[in-house]
Structure formats: C-alpha cells, structure tokens
Amino acid sequence: MTTEEQYLDHVLTRIRAAIGNADTTVKERVQTLDEQKRYLWESKDIDPHEIRSVRENILNIHAIGESAIARRERLGRMLDTPYFGRIDFNGEPIYIGVHTFHDFDTRTNLIYDWRAPIASMYYDYELGPASYTSPTGEVEGDITLKRQYRIRGGRMEYMLESSVTVHDDILQRELSANADDKMRNIVATIQREQNRIIRDADAPTLIIQGVAGSGKTSIALHRVAYLLYAHKDTLTSKDILIISPNKVFADYISNVLPELGEESVPETGMAEVLSGIAGGKQKYQTFFEQVAELSEKPAAGFTERIAYKSTLEFAARLDEFILHAENTLFRPADVKIRHITIPHEYIGNLFRRFHRLAIRARFEPMADMLADELDIKYHITPTTAERNQLKRELRAMFAEGAGDLALYKQFFTWMGRPDMFKMRRAHTLEYADLAPLAYLRIALDGIRPNGQVRHLLIDEMQDYSPVQYRVIQRLFPCRKTLLGDAGQSVNPYGSSTAEMIGRVFSGSRVMKLCKSYRSTFEITDFAQCIRRNDELEPVARHGEKPQVLGFKNADEEVAGIVRLLTEFRESEYKSLGIVCKTESQAAALHEKLHSRLPDGEIVLLTDTSSSFAHGVVVTSAHMAKGLEFDEVIVPHVDAVNYRTEMDRGMLYVAATRAMHRLTLTHAGRVSTLIGR
C-alpha cells in the first residue's frame, strides 16, 4: 500500500468514526426529546415557568439533533469523495476537498474546505513561490508538490502530479463525462480565472460576461457558496436571492449549493419582481410570449417598440418625464377647512418642501403638517374625516388623480411618440412596458428597499433592459452578481450588453470568461460559423464533427429523428435535447415523435414546466438556455425557418447546448445561417 493509499484509508477510518459519533448524538437527542415530551404530557400540575423551560429545552435539543443529522449527511458524502487535491506548502501537506474535516483526537485538519484561504493556492499557483491571505495577514512560502486525485466510492481511481493549476488530463476526463439531470459542482476543476471571480469580495456589483459553455452559472453558484463560507457569521442562504430565467433552469441548478454543503437559496423571476411592484393586478404579456411572437409573425411596430424601450435613451427620457410630472402635473388649489382657507401658493410651496419623498408619498405628511398648523395657529383640530378629506383633495391636485397607466400613456404623448405604446387585447400590457410602468410607480409612490436580500444573483443578464435594471437597483440596494452572454440573446431587439449594465450600476466590475469548456472543439467551431465570437477560446477536447442531414420532406425528417433517437438509446450518452426554434414547433414535433415512441420516453419542456427532465427532452431554444445535453438534435434548419438575425441567435443557442454530439436536420433548402 502506497503512502497516499494509507492516508486515504486513515481519512476514511476517521470519517467513519465521526459518523458513528454523529449517529450516537442523534439517537441520544431523540431519546431525550421523547423523555421531555413524555414529562410534559404526564405532569398535570406542572408550574407554567417550568413548562416554558422544558419547551425551550426541547427546542434546543431539536436544533442540536438537526445539526448532528446535517453533519452526518455531510460526512456520508465525504466517504465517497473525501478530497480531490493536495499541495505541499512550506513542507506541510494540505489536502483539499468539498468540506473541512477536523480530527479532534489529533487536533489537526485532515482535509481543508476548497473555500478556505489556504486552499486558494491550489487554484492560483504552480510549483514555486506562493502566498495566501489569512485572518492574521499575508502568509508566504513555497509549493513543492501539487497532486490531483479522482476518488469515487472511497477508492482512488487515479492520482496525477501537476505543475499547473488543474492538470489537462483531469480537466479532459471531467469534461468528457456525460451530462446529468442536474448541474454538478466543479470544485475539482476550477480554473485560475474562475477562482478570481468566485473569491472577489470587493466589487459592489460583479458583472460576468461569459461565452457559451464557459461555466458562468456554475461559477456564480460557487461564488455564492464562497460568500456564505467567508461571511458565515453575517450571511445565510435566506439572505441571497436568485433571479433566474425560468423554473426549469432553477430546478436544473438546484443541486449545486446542497452539494457544496449549503442550503438552497430563494429563487424568483424578473416578471414576478416587476409585477409585484405594480401590485400584481395588471395583466401583461410574458417574456416567453414576447419571444414567441418575435420568432413567428410580429405585428407592425412590435419590434420597434421593444427596441426603443430597451435603450439607455428611453430610460433617460422616462427620468425626464418624472421630473416634468413633479414640476408641472401637481396643480395646487385653495383648500378650505371650516372657515379657514389655505391658499394654493402655500400648498405648492409645501409640496416642494417634501421633494425628498416620492410624488404621491408627499400628500399624507402634507396633510398632517397642515392639520398641525391649523391647530397651532387657529386652534382648530381637524377631525379624522376632515384629515381624510384633506388628503383626497391633495391627491386630486396631482394630474387630476390620474392612475399609473394613464400617466404612463401621457409619457409617450409628452415625448411625441404615442406610437410607442400599444395596449394588447383584454387590457394586457406588452412585456416591454412592464418595467417602465413599475419604474414610474416607484417614482410616484416610492418603494421600501428589500432589506432582507443582501446579495442578488441575476442570470441571463443580457435579456433584461436598462429600465429593468434601474428597478432592480431601487428595490435591491445590495451587492450583486450578474452573469450572461450578449451572444446568446434570444431577443436582439431588447438585449443589454455588459457595458450597458455597468452604466446602470455605479462601481460595477466587469470580468470575462472566454474559454468554452462545454462542447468539443468541433461543435464549438461549428457554432462559431453561426455566430462569430472572437473572444471565445475553445477547449482542446475533440469529438465527432456535427452532422447536417437533409430530407425530402417533413415526414422523412421526423423518421430521421426517430432513427437518431434509436442510435442515442444504444450509445453511452444519457441525455439528448431536441431543441426547436419556438415552443409551438417543439410541441408539434413532440406530438409526432410521441406517437412513434414508447410512452414516457420523450418529455416536452415548456414555459409552464417546473422541473428539468432526464433522458430525451424536446424544447425551444429559449427554454434550453443554460442547459446542456450529451447530444443535441436541432430540427427544421431550413432556409425558411432560420433566416433572420433573431433566428441566428436561436440557432446559436441550440447548437451550443451540445457537449459531445450535434446533429442538425432539415427538409428542403438548408439555412444559410449555418455558414457552410
């Protein structure tokens, strides 16, 4: 047995002993809880103070028991893979894993958490001089050895000496693995540039611009785990909020934080945030519906309205209108309380005195001040009814009591662009109007910032407009991590770049991830022909060349896809995504395939789905964003279906979901967008 095998055996022995201790603790706590509950039940004349004391004791015992259970679960996971790396720093071996393991008998750390300051050297340095920042200051020294391990089921599969951050062999083996039904942690293969992003604790807003397959979402989640570790005394999972593109994606990433030993964090969508500001009463078109309409047959003026409302200029004009409303739409009038008349000039001056408050938030304190002055100067104490009447009269002086929507419509008339607003059927707002309306309401009514959220993470940042980000800034004045890729926008008319977002959030820092790890070199090279990104660096992992298969008609194309599914079932791959341009095309193809395949073999993912599915999935390019599959089939890649710049974005997103195999099918003339 080698020295390394002996160390692994020693660690596993100590972990098993710790699991035994945790089991004993849990059993003792359960027994004590039963005794305490029985005592409460059987004691008829117990003193109320003693009842309170026993109940508090029960709660404490319960908390200790839950902590022991959590430790037991964590130790159980460590038995499978206790650590993945080692560095020898200043002569001391430092083993690195997902979690710290402290041997209380020898009072030493057998394993260090990957987030610990000393573990950062594993990612940042080669052999030679190195340093890390400890709580007591900078520690300098030399790394004389670096090793990487693959341990599964408590058995060492291989060990490699390494003189670089993460050895190519380890990285290639991990990247060659099959896609799972959940995103997994990547602690064993974090690269130097990724580690800088994860551990950045200075930027108030960190904007991550990452190419397709760069691991930006995974890096952002590891960043959350790092922040929870580094600020464990002041930050909990409940203090963090993720704004994700849809429920399927939220489910897909839900495994990462628990794997890293942290609780899952709350999640919501941008539309839910915006509609919540408006009270949830206004009907609106969803982002999915907007993208679907743009992909099919948009009505006249629809794209122009979306494009204009996604500009910085539009956001600036909205600010100008709010100032105009404050200066001109409040029309003070005389107010009479009993025999006293308060002149309109005084009302106007009082309105301006409260300029620090939102416009409609001023009327109540104005009414209170007027009532107080009537009491002091004229010894008149207004009744509750008189106070309420005074507030109503003050409100009516602002734009004659116009509501939010009426003022929003007035905004377009004021700037000479009434054509830029169109209400849809059933009194439904276009999606592009939801954020500006919410922003206007904040200016009119004010908003209490969300103090509970202390770190906000926004994925697919390119899909949100400057006005949406201004709303976010007002609602969440906390630290933020934003991530996305301008090259993966499914709506070129309403997307934002990292630079545009940076202009909204002062003091923001933009960091780029340019290396693409997801797809083979051949798939990445093919996708580059669809949409060129000169910053993208493909990883040197080779595989099959993508296929473009032509068929005589639609029925033969479906039959060809069925044959591809048969080949998939016979392959080593575990997941296959059939990624269509639109949701309606996905639904139609799913129905055709479903009739030819066994029940339950193929799943349709739509905007109403709530969880990711394993195996064969049919979905749209919009829904597929952020997901990855071993194999991807992109159907209907003909010159009619894929022809516009928006189609190019959809096709690029679809192609870059593939890890190992990519096939495009078409009936009729192939699209010119594939660049062949």
Side-chain angles (χ1 to χ4, degrees):
M1 183 179 289
T2 66
T3 303
E4 286 287 10
E5 289 172 331
Q6 289 175 350
Y7 187 81
L8 175 59
D9 186 60
H10 171 65
V11 168
L12 293 175
T13 299
R14 299 307 303 157
I15 292 174
R16 291 189 188 99
I19 289 173
N21 292 336
D23 285 339
T24 300
T25 300
V26 171
K27 291 176 183 177
E28 290 174 349
R29 294 296 178 256
V30 169
Q31 184 177 351
T32 306
L33 274 176
D34 289 341
E35 291 172 356
Q36 294 282 316
K37 290 177 180 178
R38 191 180 305 112
Y39 175 71
L40 278 180
W41 179 257
E42 294 175 352
S43 301
K44 304 298 183 182
D45 302 321
I46 189 170
D47 181 84
H49 294 290
E50 187 177 356
I51 291 176
R52 189 181 304 113
S53 176
V54 173
R55 284 178 175 169
E56 288 177 359
N57 195 34
I58 287 174
L59 291 174
N60 290 333
I61 294 169
H62 189 266
I64 294 171
E66 284 190 333
S67 177
I69 291 171
R71 175 172 167 76
R72 168 68 178 79
E73 291 175 351
R74 184 169 65 250
L75 290 168
R77 289 194 295 269
M78 291 181 73
L79 276 178
D80 181 65
T81 306
Y83 51 86
F84 56 81
R86 168 185 170 179
I87 55 173
D88 285 9
F89 181 67
N90 290 346
E92 291 294 326
I94 309 296
Y95 286 84
I96 300 163
V98 175
H99 304 293
T100 293
F101 181 69
H102 184 79
D103 188 343
F104 288 97
D105 291 344
T106 61
R107 298 182 180 179
T108 58
N109 275 352
L110 298 182
I111 304 169
Y112 286 84
D113 192 299
W114 67 277
R115 297 166 291 185
I118 196 170
S120 65
M121 295 187 294
Y122 175 76
Y123 301 108
D124 291 340
Y125 290 98
E126 302 173 6
L127 300 183
S131 66
Y132 69 95
T133 303
S134 75
T136 57
E138 197 74 8
V139 179
E140 297 181 344
D142 285 285
I143 295 177
T144 55
L145 180 144
K146 180 185 284 189
R147 284 179 180 162
Q148 298 164 67
Y149 313 92
R150 181 179 174 91
I151 301 171
R152 294 292 184 271
R155 186 178 65 85
M156 190 176 296
E157 295 183 357
Y158 54 78
M159 173 187 72
L160 294 171
E161 299 289 330
S162 175
S163 60
V164 295
T165 306
V166 175
H167 199 286
D168 277 349
D169 286 353
I170 292 279
L171 182 60
Q172 291 288 356
R173 294 190 197 197
E174 293 297 329
L175 295 177
S176 297
N178 291 325
D180 213 327
D181 58 345
K182 301 279 187 182
M183 182 180 285
R184 296 296 182 185
N185 80 71
I186 58 167
V187 290
T189 57
I190 292 171
Q191 304 294 287
R192 185 177 300 168
E193 72 276 8
Q194 297 172 332
N195 193 48
R196 284 200 300 270
I197 292 173
I198 289 170
R199 296 174 188 261
D200 188 309
D202 299 325
T205 298
L206 187 63
I207 300 172
I208 306 170
Q209 163 59 41
V211 300
S214 59
K216 51 190 172 292
T217 300
S218 185
I219 293 306
L221 292 170
H222 284 68
R223 172 170 167 76
V224 168
Y226 171 76
L227 293 172
L228 289 169
Y229 175 88
H231 305 285
K232 59 172 67 78
D233 295 332
T234 57
L235 189 69
T236 70
S237 297
K238 294 178 182 178
D239 301 328
I240 298 172
L241 178 66
I242 296 178
I243 294 181
S244 64
N246 55 67
K247 296 295 182 185
V248 169
F249 183 74
D251 176 66
Y252 179 66
I253 67 174
S254 64
N255 209 50
V256 176
L257 287 172
E259 275 194 0
L260 295 172
E262 303 293 348
E263 294 180 12
S264 296
V265 303
E267 173 272 335
T268 189
M270 181 66 79
E272 286 81 2
V273 172
L274 298 174
S275 64
I277 294 171
K281 297 177 182 178
Q282 178 64 55
K283 290 191 291 185
Y284 60 90
Q285 177 191 44
T286 67
F287 184 48
F288 277 93
E289 290 168 344
Q290 182 197 77
V291 171
E293 185 170 342
L294 288 170
S295 301
E296 293 166 353
K297 292 182 179 180
F302 188 49
T303 57
E304 290 79 8
R305 291 193 296 274
I306 293 171
Y308 182 59
K309 291 165 190 175
S310 300
T311 62
L312 291 166
E313 176 198 348
F314 175 77
R317 294 308 305 274
L318 190 54
D319 280 334
E320 291 173 16
F321 175 73
I322 290 167
L323 184 61
H324 163 77
E326 181 177 358
N327 291 334
T328 64
L329 298 187
F330 181 73
R331 300 182 178 92
D334 294 347
V335 174
K336 189 170 183 179
I337 299 290
R338 300 182 197 176
H339 62 281
I340 302 298
T341 298
I342 304 170
H344 66 276
E345 295 90 350
Y346 186 81
I347 299 290
N349 289 333
L350 193 58
F351 178 77
R352 288 184 286 275
R353 282 178 62 182
F354 285 95
H355 65 92
R356 293 186 182 278
L357 296 179
I359 294 171
R360 289 198 295 234
R362 303 178 192 183
F363 304 137
E364 187 163 342
M366 284 172 66
D368 291 339
M369 181 170 283
L370 289 171
D372 291 343
E373 291 186 358
L374 286 169
D375 192 7
I376 294 168
K377 291 183 179 180
Y378 302 103
H379 304 292
I380 295 174
T381 304
T383 64
T384 300
E386 287 173 328
R387 281 176 177 261
N388 291 336
Q389 178 60 29
L390 181 56
K391 292 173 189 176
R392 285 194 293 270
E393 291 184 25
L394 290 171
R395 288 193 192 99
M397 293 176 195
F398 178 69
E400 298 179 356
D404 299 353
L405 192 56
L407 282 170
Y408 184 55
K409 291 179 182 177
Q410 189 174 336
F411 159 57
F412 292 98
T413 303
W414 168 80
M415 67 175 179
R417 298 297 306 272
D419 58 309
M420 285 290 105
F421 179 81
K422 184 178 181 181
M423 185 67 79
R424 304 176 74 81
R425 291 179 181 177
H427 206 63
T428 301
L429 278 179
E430 290 183 343
Y431 176 76
D433 289 310
L434 185 58
L437 184 61
Y439 188 71
L440 181 62
R441 178 160 189 178
I442 291 172
L444 295 172
D445 292 343
I447 190 170
R448 185 185 295 275
N450 189 317
Q452 174 63 38
V453 176
R454 301 184 57 208
H455 197 100
L456 181 70
L457 190 151
I458 302 178
D459 206 343
E460 301 295 347
M461 65 182 187
Q462 72 278 358
D463 288 338
Y464 306 122
S465 69
V467 175
Q468 287 175 311
Y469 283 120
R470 289 194 177 197
V471 173
I472 290 297
Q473 183 71 326
R474 294 289 296 273
L475 187 58
F476 301 103
C478 59
R479 290 183 178 270
K480 302 174 185 68
T481 300
L482 288 75
L483 57 139
D485 177 19
Q488 293 186 69
S489 172
V490 294
N491 175 12
Y493 311 106
S495 60
S496 293
T497 63
E499 290 70 28
M500 289 172 66
I501 298 168
R503 291 173 64 178
V504 176
F505 300 108
S506 60
S508 59
R509 178 182 300 165
V510 177
M511 300 187 77
K512 294 186 177 182
L513 291 171
C514 297
K515 183 164 283 190
S516 179
Y517 299 98
R518 175 187 298 135
S519 306
T520 62
F521 178 89
E522 288 75 15
I523 293 172
T524 301
D525 189 53
F526 184 89
Q528 284 281 74
C529 294
I530 298 171
R531 171 172 279 176
R532 185 75 187 174
N533 184 344
D534 292 329
E535 292 187 330
L536 186 147
E537 303 171 24
V539 71
R541 179 172 66 87
H542 291 279
E544 302 176 28
K545 285 188 176 182
Q547 295 185 81
V548 180
L549 304 179
F551 298 92
K552 292 181 180 179
N553 54 53
D555 287 339
E556 287 196 11
E557 183 179 4
V558 172
I561 293 172
V562 171
R563 288 193 294 274
L564 290 172
L565 293 179
T566 301
E567 292 177 15
F568 164 74
R569 287 196 299 272
E570 296 171 354
S571 73
E572 61 182 355
Y573 299 137
K574 295 181 179 179
S575 64
L576 183 148
I578 302 175
V579 186
C580 300
K581 188 178 86 169
T582 66
E583 194 164 290
S584 60
Q585 290 179 10
L589 181 58
H590 175 263
E591 186 175 349
K592 291 177 181 177
L593 293 174
H594 185 70
S595 63
R596 304 189 187 197
L597 297 167
D599 286 344
E601 184 166 325
I602 185 167
V603 177
L604 176 65
L605 287 185
T606 71
D607 65 317
T608 60
S609 301
S610 59
S611 60
F612 187 65
H614 193 53
V616 180
V617 166
V618 183
T619 191
S620 65
H622 187 184
M623 278 296 300
K625 282 205 304 179
L627 307 179
E628 60 184 28
F629 304 90
D630 290 327
E631 181 176 348
V632 166
I633 299 170
V634 187
H636 314 317
V637 189
D638 57 78
V640 175
N641 194 36
Y642 284 98
R643 54 190 176 80
T644 67
E645 279 306 301
M646 183 168 181
D647 296 340
R648 185 187 300 277
M650 296 290 193
L651 188 56
Y652 180 79
V653 168
T656 54
R657 300 309 93 200
M659 294 177 64
H660 309 300
R661 181 184 289 169
L662 172 65
T663 307
L664 293 82
T665 67
H666 65 94
R669 190 164 57 90
V670 68
S671 170
T672 58
L673 297 181
I674 63 174
R676 300 175 76 235

